[in-house]
Amino acid sequence: MDQFSKNLLFSGRWEHGKEYSRTSAPAAMVQFKAAAKSLEFELEGEARFRVDEDGKEIAVFTTNARNVYKVKTTAGAGSHLYRLIKISESNPGGVHLYRVATDKSGKFEEPPKPSNRRIEFIGDSFTVGFGDEGQNGQDESLVFEKTNASKSFAFLIADGYKADFQVNAFSGRGLVRNYDNIVPEWPIPRLYDFTVPGEAPGDLANGVSEQSIRYDFNSFHPQVIVLFIGINDFQGNPPYAKHDAFKKAYAELLDKLRKAHPGVKFLLLSTKVWPNDDLTPTVKAVYDAQKAAGKSDLEFMTLTTANVGLLGHPDIHSHEDMAKAVRPLIGRLGRWLSR
């Protein structure tokens, strides 16, 4: 039995067409309920996926050329909740989902209901979960297979609260300046405007208008937005971001998000960066200026991260620690602690 979208619940940014749905977001997810002996996923694009059955991982597979990927179920008779989670990053690039199917005797149930909790994460590689299954000192060519967005602090928090979520994060990108000034025309604020930002640059190069793939901010209204941005503005080879330009861009992004999502709450995160450790005082200055202007919709927090994963990034244990540290504050902002 096949399903394309009728019985599927999508999380993350997806663009839905007549023949497929596409995404480039880390941790983008599809949930469905089914009674089946096996599942089939028709996918195209370079990515790694995890399949869960009732919250337990039962398969991990890698996709590239268009193909049908089969997964045997394990839980026995009856209906079970399944999740297809994109655990790799597409930056650039994207994936197309053409079909979800069960074996011939299987059947889909009604789709899972959306949560009344909604959270969004905006960030860079620390939010992606870049290299979290690797170790510092390993060959950087292992990034693809050692990145697992389903073990990032962002996914862990959303999953723990059973919240609908988006992870809009881009490795190497900054607010006004990307790491080592790579692709300077594509910092986070510009990528953020697209539904499938991993494919946006290529589409534009092929003459597709920006308007055709612009994200519709009315399609998902988060109650809490976590911003963990700026690491790449102040790391790598100089020159780094100018502080005034960074603070101005940060304030503009907050105002844009307030306009798109009235009543939303913000958590501004920071961490130590090298060599100058400029990020924390600069983000704290943004926070202080917002509070001085009478804004009461945001909180600030500095995270301590053990950067022992691949290329000096947090590993899965550090992500667990980060999630544990951040979770109560998010619960308070979303008013989820008592519900």
Side-chain angles (χ1 to χ4, degrees):
M1 183 176 182
D2 296 352
Q3 285 295 333
F4 179 54
S5 61
K6 180 182 177 182
N7 291 76
L8 308 179
L9 176 65
F10 289 83
S11 296
R13 286 192 185 179
W14 291 81
E15 184 178 89
H16 302 292
K18 293 182 179 180
E19 297 183 359
Y20 56 78
S21 294
R22 64 173 181 157
T23 186
S24 63
M29 182 169 72
V30 178
Q31 297 184 81
F32 57 93
K33 294 180 179 179
K37 295 179 181 178
S38 64
L39 305 170
E40 294 183 358
F41 304 96
E42 187 171 357
L43 291 153
E44 181 180 21
E46 185 180 28
R48 294 177 68 235
F49 286 91
R50 162 182 163 180
V51 179
D52 284 2
E53 181 180 68
D54 296 329
K56 180 182 178 181
E57 180 183 305
I58 60 171
V60 173
F61 59 86
T62 300
T63 64
N64 202 328
R66 183 172 177 176
N67 203 349
V68 175
Y69 300 86
K70 298 182 179 181
V71 174
K72 289 185 178 181
T73 61
T74 65
S79 179
H80 301 277
L81 175 65
Y82 294 96
R83 308 194 299 188
L84 174 71
I85 310 166
K86 179 175 172 289
I87 62 175
S88 60
E89 181 179 13
S90 300
N91 180 18
V95 295
H96 294 190
L97 173 65
Y98 293 91
R99 183 173 64 97
V100 178
T102 69
D103 60 282
K104 291 183 179 179
S105 63
K107 65 175 183 178
F108 286 89
E109 307 291 346
E110 289 296 312
K113 294 182 179 180
S115 173
N116 62 358
R117 299 172 175 178
R118 298 176 302 279
I119 185 168
E120 178 180 4
F121 298 85
I122 304 174
D124 51 39
S125 56
F126 276 44
T127 302
V128 167
F130 179 103
D132 55 359
E133 291 188 323
Q135 296 178 353
N136 201 15
Q138 287 182 308
D139 193 312
E140 62 183 66
S141 66
L142 297 174
V143 166
F144 178 73
E145 62 189 78
K146 295 298 183 181
T147 293
N148 190 334
S150 71
K151 296 183 179 181
S152 71
F153 82 94
F155 186 89
L156 294 175
I157 290 170
D159 196 37
Y161 275 119
K162 301 186 184 307
D164 290 341
F165 66 91
Q166 289 188 357
V167 178
N168 297 311
F170 317 96
S171 292
R173 308 304 173 95
L175 184 62
V176 298
R177 179 260 192 193
N178 296 334
Y179 186 84
D180 280 356
N181 205 36
I182 59 171
V183 284
E185 69 275 19
W186 287 100
I188 288 173
R190 189 176 180 203
L191 287 166
Y192 183 73
D193 281 342
F194 292 90
T195 307
V196 189
E199 295 188 357
D203 285 347
L204 296 180
N206 291 327
V208 178
S209 68
E210 291 190 12
Q211 189 62 37
S212 67
I213 49 177
R214 287 278 179 174
Y215 178 65
D216 178 8
F217 287 94
N218 286 319
S219 63
F220 180 79
H221 288 296
Q223 296 150 322
V224 180
I225 297 178
V226 179
L227 296 106
F228 197 0
I229 52 180
I231 294 173
N232 295 303
D233 290 85
F234 299 107
Q235 282 197 158
N237 295 311
Y240 304 120
K242 294 182 179 179
H243 295 164
D244 288 345
F246 182 90
K247 289 184 282 189
K248 181 175 182 292
Y250 209 129
E252 289 174 349
L253 179 58
L254 289 171
D255 287 342
K256 176 178 180 175
L257 294 170
R258 288 185 179 108
K259 183 177 180 180
H261 312 297
V264 69
K265 306 296 183 182
F266 300 101
L267 174 58
L268 315 187
L269 293 180
S270 181
T271 192
K272 182 178 179 62
V273 298
W274 288 265
N276 299 324
D277 200 18
D278 280 352
L279 179 60
T280 295
T282 309
V283 176
K284 181 61 162 54
V286 172
Y287 171 76
D288 289 342
Q290 294 278 312
K291 299 295 282 188
K295 304 295 184 183
S296 59
D297 57 0
L298 70 173
E299 296 288 347
F300 168 80
M301 184 178 190
T302 301
L303 286 175
T304 299
T305 61
N307 301 327
V308 297
L310 192 63
L311 294 175
H313 283 74
D315 68 351
I316 57 174
H317 303 296
S318 185
H319 276 281
E320 291 169 357
D321 292 341
M322 292 159 65
K324 184 177 180 180
V326 171
R327 189 179 190 278
L329 190 48
I330 290 177
R332 191 158 67 247
L333 287 168
R335 298 181 179 179
W336 300 337
L337 292 178
S338 61
R339 287 190 279 165

